[in-house]
Amino acid sequence: PSFEACVKEGRALGIMCSYNSVNGVPMCANERLLKGVLRERWGFDGYVTSDCGAVRDIYDSHRFVPDGITATAAGLRAGCDTDCGDVYASNVVKAVRSYMLSEDTVDESLFRLI
């Protein structure tokens, strides 16, 4: 209830996803929570940023996906718009070129950041 109140009543503009995982899914790749709960159920329309290093943790610590390209695609598709780290910067183009990530998804995240 307190996080929901921050989003709804406090009209938060930005949210940070964390290092941990919920039910085996790293938070910055957790589409059910970032899109389903945060955006759809609670109506959040701001940006989501990762905690510093949390996108790298998707593959490095959690071993949820095999590499940075896949972590980039998973994070952006889940609704994590920006990476406080270097994973997105070096992998977004690769993820799009390998058809793991659509340009529309990238555009959607960029739109929320401006």
Side-chain angles (χ1 to χ4, degrees):
S2 57
F3 289 113
E4 183 177 5
C6 287
V7 169
K8 289 181 169 180
E9 296 168 30
R11 297 195 304 258
L13 299 175
I15 298 288
M16 179 180 282
C17 54
S18 58
Y19 296 111
N20 66 305
S21 64
V22 174
N23 298 323
V25 182
M27 277 308 303
C28 292
N30 198 318
E31 192 168 346
R32 184 180 67 81
L33 293 178
L34 293 180
K35 279 189 172 176
V37 174
L38 182 64
R39 294 195 187 283
E40 293 169 13
R41 192 180 320 160
W42 294 353
F44 179 71
D45 63 358
Y47 70 92
V48 175
T49 186
S50 74
D51 210 331
C52 294
V55 172
R56 179 171 303 281
D57 283 351
I58 293 171
Y59 67 93
D60 197 33
S61 297
H62 294 287
R63 302 203 191 311
F64 185 70
V65 297
D67 53 39
I69 297 169
T70 314
T72 296
L76 284 164
R77 283 194 316 260
C80 179
D81 300 309
T82 186
D83 167 25
C84 177
D86 61 354
V87 179
Y88 281 8
S90 55
N91 290 293
V92 169
V93 172
K94 294 174 189 173
V96 170
R97 286 186 178 159
S98 64
Y99 302 101
M100 299 172 86
L101 182 64
S102 72
E103 288 184 32
D104 287 344
T105 299
V106 175
D107 289 345
E108 189 176 289
S109 285
L110 291 171
F111 179 76
R112 287 193 289 256
L113 293 168
I114 57 173

